[in-house]
């Protein structure tokens, strides 16, 4: 395969060192789930490769986000995990996603932007290096979608804050991602039927207006560190459907990269794409492939299978799904605005939707207790291959081929690693 992608210079600037010349793309692991993060870091250490981990403005901000973590707390948590996993220094890249006023968009723009400036300062101060500037959302009294010039000017305001904090600290300056041809952080409301590939002219205009806005704020040098542009390549997932990448529909967008030297495309919502299409995305210049819900979906899928296996081994009824259903019914704010349909349909979506909004509940104490209780009951006992075949069939062939007995925790880790493996295959230039 020809690996002389026009996105390569941006990838080299993001990753640094020789890895940028040996990869088509890098996977952005977009989750705050501690166990999934631990598995991902151990996987990166085992393969001696760089790993990009990103937190969104809703997950992590100066007010704690829905995880309860500030940028510094998230940074400390992930770096401690990386050290424990044996990841080499310099292999971990931390990024902030959708950094802008979204968590406070119910406030007037000035107030929301002031909070966004405080947030990006906290991200840079903590040590996050890759910053996605997303100021596209209207605030109180504004249209839902803002004019390009307004979006770019607000993004430049955030970059100015980031540059000032970075300069005061010294060290490696941040790199920036601009654009937002994606659903808002938290998930899409609309049908996949209306999905459209970004027009090349729109992509080039986004870069142009941001360059001009950065210049107005005296940030010409900072704009040289804009390495990526978020576009819509025609990939997305809904509750029970996936819009898969169709390379022929993105040919013109791919060709536009040649007029954007030093820029890569960043593809959000690549979760659940078939392996060969992820490879096509990477080869077509989408050098940053973001994945999040697919990782926690695989983790949940394995947990639910293990719950059934425990029932066979002990005669106990399944307990995890009922516990999670009770929790989600008690606190519906993370799923109720998104799932529609009959009561039965919404019940299924709460547990099995591709959007995986159940992921918001795993950090809560009742969910943690339910998971710990299940894993405690299973302990380190080997799981019979026949039960893996019945309840975790996707793991069966690997379990048979393995020289080691499969336990609950090894099966959980294998579920997450299988998703990461698909991305590794897509990202490699070999």
């Amino acid at each position: 395969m020809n690996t002389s992608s026009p996105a390569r210079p941006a990838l080299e600037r993001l990753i640094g060192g020789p890895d940028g010349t040996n990869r088509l793309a890098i996977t952005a692991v977009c989750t705050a789930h501690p166990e999934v993060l631990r598995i991902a870091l151990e996987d990166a250490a085992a393969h001696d490769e760089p790993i990009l981990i990103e937190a969104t403005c809703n997950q992590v901000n100066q007010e704690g986000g829905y995880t309860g973590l500030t940028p510094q707390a998230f940074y400390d948590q992930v770096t401690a995990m990386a050290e424990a996993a044996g990841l080499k220094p310099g292999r971990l890249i931390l990024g902030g996603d959708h950094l802008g006023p979204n968590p406070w968009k119910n406030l007037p723009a000035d107030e929301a932007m002031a909070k966004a400036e405080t947030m990006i300062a906290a991200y840079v101060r903590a040590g996050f290096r890759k910053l996605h500037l997303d100021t596209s959302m209207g605030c109180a009294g504004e249209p839902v979608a803002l004019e390009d010039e307004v979006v770019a000017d607000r993004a430049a305001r955030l970059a100015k804050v980031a540059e000032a904090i970075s300069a005061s600290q010294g060290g490696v300056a941040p790199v920036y991602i601009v654009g937002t041809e994606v659903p808002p952080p938290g998930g899409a409301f609309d049908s996949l039927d209306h999905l459209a590939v970004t027009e090349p002219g729109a992509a080039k205009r986004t870069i142009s207006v941001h360059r001009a806005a950065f210049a107005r704020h005296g940030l010409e040098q900072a704009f040289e560190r804009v390495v990526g542009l978020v576009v819509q390549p025609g990939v997305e997932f809904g509750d029970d459907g996936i819009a898969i990448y169709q390379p022929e529909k993105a040919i013109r967008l791919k060709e536009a990269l040649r007029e954007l030297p030093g820029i890569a495309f960043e593809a959000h919502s690549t979760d659940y794409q078939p392996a060969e299409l992820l490879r096509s995305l990477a080869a077509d210049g989408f050098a940053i492939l973001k994945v999040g819900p697919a990782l926690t979906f695989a983790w949940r899928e394995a947990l639910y299978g293990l719950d059934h296996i425990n029932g066979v081994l002990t005669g106990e009824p399944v307990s995890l799904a009922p516990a999670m259903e009770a929790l989600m019914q008690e606190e519906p704010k993370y799923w109720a605005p998104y799932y529609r349909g009959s009561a039965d349909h919404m019940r299924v979506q709460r547990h099995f939707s591709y959007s995986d909004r159940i992921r918001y509940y795993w950090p809560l104490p009742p969910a943690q207790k339910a998971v710990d209780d299940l894993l405690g009951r299973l302990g380190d006992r080997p799981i019979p291959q026949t039960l893996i075949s019945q309840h975790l069939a996707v793991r069966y062939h690997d379990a048979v081929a393995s020289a080691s007995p499969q336990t609950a925790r090894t099966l959980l880790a294998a579920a997450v690693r299988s998703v990461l493996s698909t991305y590794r295959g897509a990202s490699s230039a070999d």
Side-chain angles (χ1 to χ4, degrees):
M1 175 180 290
N2 178 13
T3 59
S4 58
S5 165
R8 185 167 300 280
L11 189 61
E12 292 170 11
R13 283 190 288 160
L14 173 61
I15 298 174
D19 289 292
T21 62
N22 297 323
R23 303 175 69 84
L24 288 172
I26 188 168
T27 305
V29 175
C30 303
T31 181
H33 191 296
E35 184 66 12
V36 173
L37 286 174
R38 182 188 63 78
I39 295 166
L41 287 160
E42 290 176 350
D43 186 69
H47 289 88
D48 189 21
E49 63 183 14
I51 180 170
L52 170 59
I53 292 176
E54 301 206 41
T56 71
C57 60
N58 288 338
Q59 287 173 332
V60 174
N61 58 51
Q62 70 271 27
E63 297 171 3
Y66 71 75
T67 63
L69 297 174
T70 63
Q72 187 66 60
F74 185 80
Y75 180 91
D76 291 345
Q77 180 188 78
V78 174
T79 52
M81 287 181 178
E83 184 176 356
L87 190 68
K88 289 181 180 177
R91 292 300 215 187
L92 174 63
I93 307 164
L94 280 166
D97 199 20
H98 294 287
L99 299 184
N102 190 73
W104 308 282
K105 63 185 178 182
N106 61 316
L107 299 174
D110 286 347
E111 294 180 43
M113 280 297 296
K115 287 182 175 289
E117 289 171 349
T118 300
M119 176 176 64
I120 202 165
Y123 268 84
V124 176
R125 196 174 285 116
F128 288 75
R129 180 172 169 239
K130 174 183 176 287
L131 308 175
H132 172 211
L133 307 174
D134 181 6
T135 59
S136 60
M137 64 293 301
C139 298
E142 295 184 323
V144 173
L146 301 175
E147 294 292 330
D148 290 346
E149 289 77 8
V150 175
V151 173
D153 188 75
R154 290 180 182 179
R157 284 176 55 186
L158 295 183
K160 192 167 188 174
V161 172
E163 290 293 297
I165 298 297
S166 176
S168 70
Q169 291 185 312
V172 179
V175 297
Y176 298 102
I177 308 292
V178 299
T180 183
E181 290 269 342
V182 292
F189 288 85
D190 298 326
S191 168
L192 300 182
D193 297 340
H194 305 294
L195 202 62
V197 175
T198 300
E199 285 294 323
K204 289 183 280 190
R205 175 171 168 74
T206 297
I207 292 296
S208 175
V209 296
H210 277 79
R211 180 182 285 110
F214 273 56
R216 286 195 301 272
H217 286 268
L219 299 171
E220 292 90 344
Q221 289 187 337
F223 191 82
E224 294 304 312
R225 283 181 269 108
V226 172
V227 300
L229 171 64
V230 177
V231 292
Q232 175 51 268
V235 303
E236 187 53 82
F237 55 88
D239 291 338
D240 51 17
I242 303 165
I244 64 170
Y245 183 52
Q246 300 179 60
E248 67 279 6
K249 292 188 176 181
I251 289 175
R252 292 173 56 242
L253 181 59
K254 169 187 172 181
E255 292 174 346
L257 263 184
R258 302 196 179 276
E259 300 179 44
L260 300 171
I263 300 292
F265 284 148
E266 178 168 285
H268 291 225
S269 303
T270 67
D271 307 67
Y272 314 109
Q273 293 289 311
E276 66 275 11
L277 295 182
L278 281 175
R279 179 77 171 178
S280 294
L281 276 164
D284 286 349
F286 296 89
I288 304 167
L289 302 175
K290 310 197 79 163
V291 59
L295 295 167
T296 44
F297 183 98
W299 189 81
R300 190 273 316 150
E301 189 175 56
L303 271 179
Y304 276 23
L306 289 168
D307 200 10
H308 283 278
I309 288 171
N310 178 70
V312 175
L313 292 174
T314 66
E316 299 172 350
V318 296
S319 60
L320 185 56
M324 296 305 294
E325 176 68 11
L327 180 56
M328 288 187 286
Q329 290 285 12
E330 183 179 338
E331 296 196 33
K333 64 180 179 179
Y334 293 122
W335 62 265
Y338 296 86
Y339 298 151
R340 302 181 179 92
S342 68
D344 283 342
H345 179 78
M346 287 193 290
R347 175 178 49 79
V348 171
Q349 296 308 318
R350 282 193 290 274
H351 297 268
F352 304 106
S353 168
Y354 281 134
S355 62
D356 194 52
R357 302 199 66 80
I358 195 173
R359 71 187 186 275
Y360 293 92
Y361 294 86
W362 297 119
L364 301 181
Q368 290 183 343
K369 183 179 186 305
V371 172
D372 290 345
D373 286 349
L374 171 62
L375 295 179
R377 291 194 296 272
L378 287 168
D380 293 327
R381 74 169 72 183
I383 305 297
Q385 292 177 358
T386 52
L387 294 187
I388 295 173
S389 176
Q390 178 66 40
H391 295 290
L392 288 172
V394 72
R395 306 266 65 82
Y396 174 71
H397 291 296
D398 288 342
V400 171
S402 175
S404 303
Q406 300 297 295
T407 67
R409 291 194 179 276
T410 61
L411 287 165
L412 269 177
V416 176
R417 287 201 308 270
S418 69
V419 178
L420 295 169
S421 177
T422 301
Y423 280 82
R424 181 176 300 107
S427 299
S428 172
D430 298 330

